[in-house]
Amino acid sequence: AIHYADVSFVMGVTQLLYGITQPLWGALALKRSNTLVLCIGTVLFLAGLIFTPFCRSVLTLFLTFGIAL
């Protein structure tokens, strides 16, 4: 079972990863195009939304909710 503390930890790591990778996504948008970054973000977000309910461990929750969303 996944406990509330595990979900809170994953959410904290998500915010940390978001802050760290935001400049990288911005640089990619400047180098390639805004549309590419928007499409990648949309695909990752949808994958996270689809697969999050199927998580049975903290690792899968981290991969779907923490990274994809």
Side-chain angles (χ1 to χ4, degrees):
I2 299 175
H3 300 285
Y4 289 115
D6 297 331
V7 176
S8 297
F9 175 74
V10 169
M11 290 179 73
V13 171
T14 300
Q15 294 300 316
L16 183 64
L17 286 175
Y18 177 76
I20 290 171
T21 60
Q22 191 173 10
L24 301 175
W25 288 110
L28 182 64
L30 288 174
K31 187 173 183 177
R32 297 291 180 166
S33 70
N34 292 341
T35 306
L36 174 70
V37 174
L38 184 63
C39 289
I40 292 171
T42 301
V43 168
L44 286 173
F45 186 76
L46 287 175
L49 284 178
I50 291 169
F51 292 115
T52 296
F54 301 107
C55 294
R56 298 292 179 242
S57 70
V58 177
L59 179 62
T60 57
L61 183 68
F62 176 72
L63 291 176
T64 58
F65 190 78
I67 294 176
L69 285 179

